[in-house]
Structures are given as structure tokens and as C-alpha cells.
Amino acid sequence: AMCERCKESRAVLKRPRDGSKVCKECFYVLFETEVHETITSNTLFRRGEKVCVAASGGKDSTVLAEVMTTLNARYDYGLELFLLSIDEGIAGYRDDSLETVKRNQQQYQLPLKILSYQDLYGWSMDEIVSHIGRRNNCTFCGVFRRQALDRGATLLGAHKIVTGHNGDDLAETVLLNILRGDAPRLQRCTQVTTGMEGALQRSKPFKYCYEKEIVMYAHYKKLDYFSTECIYSPYAYRGYAREFIKDLERVDPTTLLNIIASGESLEIQEGVKMPTRGSCSRCGYVSSQALCKACVLLEQLHVMREQRKSGERREIAYDAES
């Protein structure tokens, strides 16, 4: 089939949002223009700002670095871009993906900063999993990663953070928040920009992008990205929401955008008590409680570590007596 846009080249992709068949070059133009429209219609950036691109080495963040670099030059945004990576401390996964980030840094000629959980919190994810098991590890990692990005970007004097969260991610989050009955997060999870209340502002230029198209963009552009899934993610609750949405998309590809639109149109009933934003009394991070979630989790880990140590001491004492 011929491209329905230029009528000249062979179509290589059927777009899920409208079913149109387009060639490689037209796909690049459409994809980049749609991201540019998301950026400009929501005024995500202002000229002269220092913007941190959250970089994991995966397809989303690699395409984000490519597109942000391209659009910044094409439309003269006037942004100072740099890459920020978080090393969670997952042997055989994150250490390999960081090598991809280092190659990206050379390819895009952007400054790169790498921060680790070990440096920030005194724990690696491997050590955390050895204490808590594999059932809730994504909760710990998500909380720590979010705060680590904010801390790293603040350290580097950034005005804003951009992440590679795509339409699939947002639709999954809407569904997860419904399943959890989490009204406060449900109200804000589809916002293209968050952190307006005090934390560093973070934006999602890929809010309306299908994951499938991000994969195809990376594939056709021959971008260098790390494609191995995190060794702990198969145990994540999010995976069930992902599979459910994929099943719905096979029936109707616009399901994804419809779920996002539903989240956007949601309004919380008047009189419903919502959490008020304050600061963590321990670390100063934005929190609706006396202690932020990261500090609460770190406290739990500290207790577990002490219990393990005391258990080991008891075993040593028993061995000595016997």
C-alpha cells in the first residue's frame, strides 16, 4: 500500500490513533509534529530554561532524548538540555542500561549526570529486595526513583524535568488508580505537567503517543537503546493493567486515548477531603504527611536491617554456646 499522506512512498506503518497508513518519512514528521504540538499547546518550557531529560537507556527515554534534541534545534526552543540517570543498583540490568545512556550522551552531545540509590539512600534495589522479597519492590523503587530524579535535577540547577511516560503508561495509571480507589492520584495522573505545587515541575511530552509508535520510531531511526525488561517488573501489579488494556486495544485501538480522555474529564465531588501538600519533617521533600513516603519506606528498611542483624547475632551466640 502507498502512503496515504505523500502518495509517493510505500506505507510501513498503520497508525493506531486513526488507522492511516504512512511511510517512514511521513511517520517521522507526524510523530515529531504531534510532540511539538503537545509541548507548545501546554507551554511546557520557556526559552533559556535548563531541562533535565530523565534517561534510563530504554526506548522511551532514548526516543525522548532524540526528539527533544531535534525539536529544540528545529523550532529554536532555546533550552539547555542534559541527561539525568538513576542507578537503582540492579545487577545485570541497570549497569548494562547505563552503558547505553553513556553512548546516548556521546551521540546527542548532552551533559550526563548519574546518581545512585546507594549514594542517596544507602540502599541498592538488590539489597532492598533481599529484605522485602519480590512482591512490593516496585513500590519502593517508584517512590525512591521519583525523589532521586527531583534531587538530581535540583542539584544540577534544572528548572524542569521531562520524562518518557507515554499514552500507554498514562492509561495504565488511570486504571490502576481506579482499582486502588485513589481519588487524589486519579485526578492528577493524566496531567501533562505535575509538580506545580512545590516540587520540581515535570512534563510528559509523549502523553498522547502510543508505545507502539515509540518502538517503531526507535526501530526505523536505528536508535541505540536497551530493550531488556527489569528483572523485578514481572511481579508488578501494573502488568495486569497493561495486559487488560492491550486486550481492549485489539478490539478498538482508540481505547488508550479514550481512557486518558476519561481521566482528564474526571472531577472530584465538592466536599471530598483531599490531601494538602506540605513538607517532610525529616528530609524537606514535598509530602501530604509528616513524613514523605520515601522516609517512611527507609524507616521500614532500617527496622528490617536491624532485625536481621539481631537475628544473625542470636545465631552466632547460639553457635558459640553449642
Side-chain angles (χ1 to χ4, degrees):
M2 297 300 288
C3 174
E4 294 174 7
R5 183 173 180 270
C6 68
K7 317 290 187 194
E8 294 175 1
S9 303
R10 186 176 65 85
V12 297
L13 177 75
K14 182 178 179 181
R15 304 201 72 198
R17 68 177 61 231
D18 58 12
S20 61
K21 298 179 180 70
V22 293
C23 68
K24 200 185 295 184
E25 294 304 319
C26 285
F27 169 57
Y28 296 155
V29 172
L30 289 167
F31 184 86
E32 291 164 3
T33 302
E34 285 162 7
V35 175
H36 171 64
E37 286 172 357
T38 299
I39 290 170
T40 53
S41 63
N42 294 281
T43 321
L44 297 189
F45 316 110
R46 298 190 187 282
R47 173 172 290 278
E49 286 184 326
K50 191 173 185 180
V51 177
C52 156
V53 180
S56 66
K59 64 182 183 325
D60 297 314
S61 67
T62 302
V63 172
L64 181 65
E66 166 81 17
V67 172
M68 285 299 299
T69 304
T70 300
L71 298 183
N72 192 37
R74 181 184 298 162
Y75 296 105
D76 190 25
Y77 290 163
L79 303 176
E80 183 184 348
L81 300 173
F82 66 94
L83 303 174
L84 174 61
S85 287
I86 306 301
D87 180 1
E88 300 95 340
I90 304 173
Y93 168 68
R94 183 55 73 209
D95 41 5
D96 291 338
S97 69
L98 285 174
E99 291 305 312
T100 305
V101 174
K102 289 171 186 174
R103 292 195 298 273
N104 290 160
Q105 188 259 330
Q106 296 298 319
Q107 290 154 4
Y108 301 117
Q109 290 297 294
L110 297 176
L112 167 66
K113 176 70 175 176
I114 300 173
L115 288 174
S116 73
Y117 281 9
Q118 189 68 53
D119 292 338
L120 292 171
Y121 307 115
W123 290 81
S124 69
M125 266 314 293
D126 285 342
E127 190 183 1
I128 290 170
V129 172
S130 75
H131 280 73
I132 67 168
R134 294 192 171 213
R135 288 198 64 81
N136 297 312
N137 53 77
C138 288
T139 298
F140 282 77
C141 195
V143 170
F144 290 160
R145 182 178 177 76
R146 180 178 182 82
Q147 193 176 116
L149 280 171
D150 279 350
R151 285 192 188 186
T154 302
L155 266 173
L156 294 167
H159 298 95
K160 288 167 184 170
I161 301 171
V162 284
T163 65
H165 289 101
N166 56 52
D168 293 60
D169 297 323
L170 265 69
E172 290 162 15
T173 304
V174 170
L175 188 56
L176 285 171
N177 287 328
I178 290 171
L179 294 172
R180 290 169 176 156
D182 194 335
R185 282 196 177 90
L186 185 56
Q187 187 183 34
R188 65 176 184 266
C189 71
T190 56
Q191 293 172 354
V192 71
T193 298
T194 55
M196 308 292 283
E197 312 89 346
L200 202 63
Q201 184 176 316
R202 59 176 65 202
S203 303
K204 300 182 276 281
F206 290 170
K207 175 181 175 178
Y208 299 110
C209 298
Y210 281 72
E211 183 179 48
K212 175 187 175 183
E213 294 202 333
I214 290 172
V215 171
M216 298 313 291
Y217 186 95
H219 171 70
Y220 289 130
K221 284 267 186 179
K222 294 182 170 57
L223 301 185
D224 182 5
Y225 69 93
F226 184 76
S227 57
T228 304
E229 191 177 30
C230 174
I231 58 175
Y232 299 129
S233 67
Y235 304 91
Y237 186 42
R238 177 177 287 270
Y240 298 104
R242 181 177 299 127
E243 288 306 312
F244 178 63
I245 291 172
K246 294 295 182 196
D247 287 342
L248 292 174
E249 279 191 283
R250 290 185 189 100
V251 179
D252 179 4
T254 63
T255 294
L256 187 138
L257 295 179
N258 292 339
I259 293 173
I260 295 173
S262 297
E264 288 174 330
S265 60
L266 179 85
E267 289 184 11
I268 302 298
Q269 184 179 333
E270 281 188 39
V272 174
K273 190 175 180 182
M274 300 291 282
T276 53
R277 290 290 179 104
S279 297
C280 175
S281 60
R282 184 169 295 169
C283 72
Y285 191 70
V286 175
S287 175
S288 57
Q289 307 294 326
L291 288 180
C292 71
K293 188 68 173 173
C295 284
V296 169
L297 294 177
L298 284 170
E299 205 166 80
Q300 291 175 14
L301 289 170
H302 178 71
V303 170
M304 288 181 189
R305 181 184 270 169
E306 291 304 308
Q307 286 174 344
R308 178 175 287 190
K309 283 180 181 176
S310 63
E312 288 170 356
R313 283 196 293 268
R314 281 196 297 271
E315 284 181 18
I316 291 168
Y318 175 77
D319 289 341
E321 287 170 9
S322 56

